[in-house]
Amino acid sequence: IPAPPAGLNGTVILTQLNPQLQIVSMNMNGATQQVLATDAARAALNADGTLLAYTSDTGIVIRNLSSGEISTIAGSFGRNIHWSPDSRALATVKTGNTYGIFVVDLETNAMTQLSNLGYEAIAGWSPDGSTLYYAIPGSSSNGFQLRAVNLATSETRDVFILENSSRKSPLPALSPDGKWVAYRASDNSSLYIKGMDGSPARQVLDNPAQAINGITWEKEGHLLAVSLITQEFPDGEVFLIDPDSCESYRFPGLTGEVDGINIP
């Protein structure tokens, strides 16, 4: 698998386990690495690649990647964080005393509860920010159920089944243009994309490694970044995929679980 074309530049956000648990930013050529946080994992990058959010012991941390400025939403904890398209809100899954998906308004710090399970897997927001999509285990063995919730009314609807999706977690990722959802297959190492119009799912990767541990779209929704756990790279190695052509590139020197990608 070739390296990306020379003209393709940008940064990748990764969670690494070795030499310690940390969130890092790396150039696509692997030449430059910046540690952004330690003892933290699974960060979320906003649409324009300027803000990073992750959970710490004190709350949800928001870091401005340009200025380095850090702010914290104290007492707010959660996993599976996703930015709204306008970067004014964060969706996160909470467990503990309260369960389910909560949306945090970053201007007021007000929190709105949208579900009450605690094991939801957030896929992403609609392009206009009116709807949040998430996956939950389906009632049959066909795969996880993709569900939509309207933020204004809190009304939910079942969209479709993510057929042949992972029974552990499909790691669903909605494309920024709202046209596709990518997810991990039942073998935990293959990759599918499915049209949000309900068209049948299409296999993009066929069991290329031991497991997939990260899936994210670039901001235009044309390319997918996927991290694969291999024997040589147990933390994960990063690949870039064009879902239309299935053309793939391997990023040399990038290891870890891919959390975000920013291509200017």
Side-chain angles (χ1 to χ4, degrees):
I1 298 177
L8 188 64
N9 299 308
T11 56
V12 181
I13 304 298
L14 300 161
T15 292
Q16 296 180 335
L17 302 178
N18 293 297
Q20 62 180 342
L21 179 63
Q22 59 187 12
I23 299 169
V24 302
S25 172
M26 297 188 70
N27 289 349
M28 287 185 176
N29 60 11
T32 304
Q33 173 176 304
Q34 179 186 7
V35 177
L36 302 175
T38 57
D39 297 322
R42 297 180 178 87
L45 189 65
N46 74 334
D48 63 10
T50 60
L51 298 172
L52 196 72
Y54 56 90
T55 295
S56 71
D57 291 338
T58 56
I60 295 178
V61 177
I62 298 174
R63 178 180 179 124
N64 187 307
L65 296 179
S66 298
S67 66
E69 182 182 357
I70 292 177
S71 60
T72 302
I73 305 174
S76 297
F77 302 92
R79 59 173 180 81
N80 201 205
I81 299 174
H82 283 255
W83 286 91
S84 64
D86 60 8
S87 300
R88 295 181 179 178
L90 291 170
T92 184
V93 179
K94 296 184 67 175
T95 57
N97 294 330
T98 54
Y99 294 85
I101 296 175
F102 287 76
V103 170
V104 185
D105 185 316
L106 297 181
E107 293 183 358
T108 65
N109 287 355
M111 302 191 71
T112 303
Q113 186 172 2
L114 298 178
S115 65
N116 58 4
L117 299 175
Y119 49 78
E120 300 90 338
I122 298 175
W125 300 69
S126 62
D128 63 1
S130 66
T131 304
L132 191 70
Y133 293 88
Y134 61 95
I136 58 173
S139 58
S140 68
S141 60
N142 292 337
F144 269 56
Q145 172 74 54
L146 187 68
R147 182 168 287 178
V149 55
N150 184 290
L151 272 73
T153 65
S154 296
E155 294 181 358
T156 62
R157 60 181 175 88
D158 289 343
V159 183
F160 47 62
I161 294 291
L162 300 175
E163 58 259 35
N164 195 34
S165 55
S166 169
R167 305 299 188 268
K168 182 179 181 181
S169 174
L171 307 179
L174 184 69
S175 62
D177 58 11
K179 295 181 179 180
W180 302 95
V181 58
Y183 61 92
R184 188 170 66 167
S186 58
D187 61 7
N188 293 321
S189 61
S190 298
L191 180 71
Y192 282 84
I193 64 168
K194 182 176 176 66
M196 290 299 289
D197 59 1
S199 55
R202 175 166 59 90
Q203 191 175 46
V204 177
L205 293 178
D206 184 7
N207 193 23
Q210 295 175 354
I212 292 173
N213 66 349
I215 305 170
T216 187
W217 293 85
E218 53 84 28
K219 61 184 177 183
E220 300 297 334
H222 301 311
L223 298 171
L224 266 172
V226 179
S227 50
L228 305 177
I229 296 175
T230 63
Q231 186 171 3
E232 184 179 3
F233 297 99
D235 277 4
E237 54 181 325
V238 182
F239 295 80
L240 192 66
I241 301 167
D242 181 340
D244 290 332
S245 65
C246 289
E247 189 173 4
S248 300
Y249 303 100
R250 179 173 180 246
F251 288 113
L254 268 64
T255 61
E257 174 188 317
V258 64
D259 295 329
I261 182 169
N262 180 36
I263 302 175

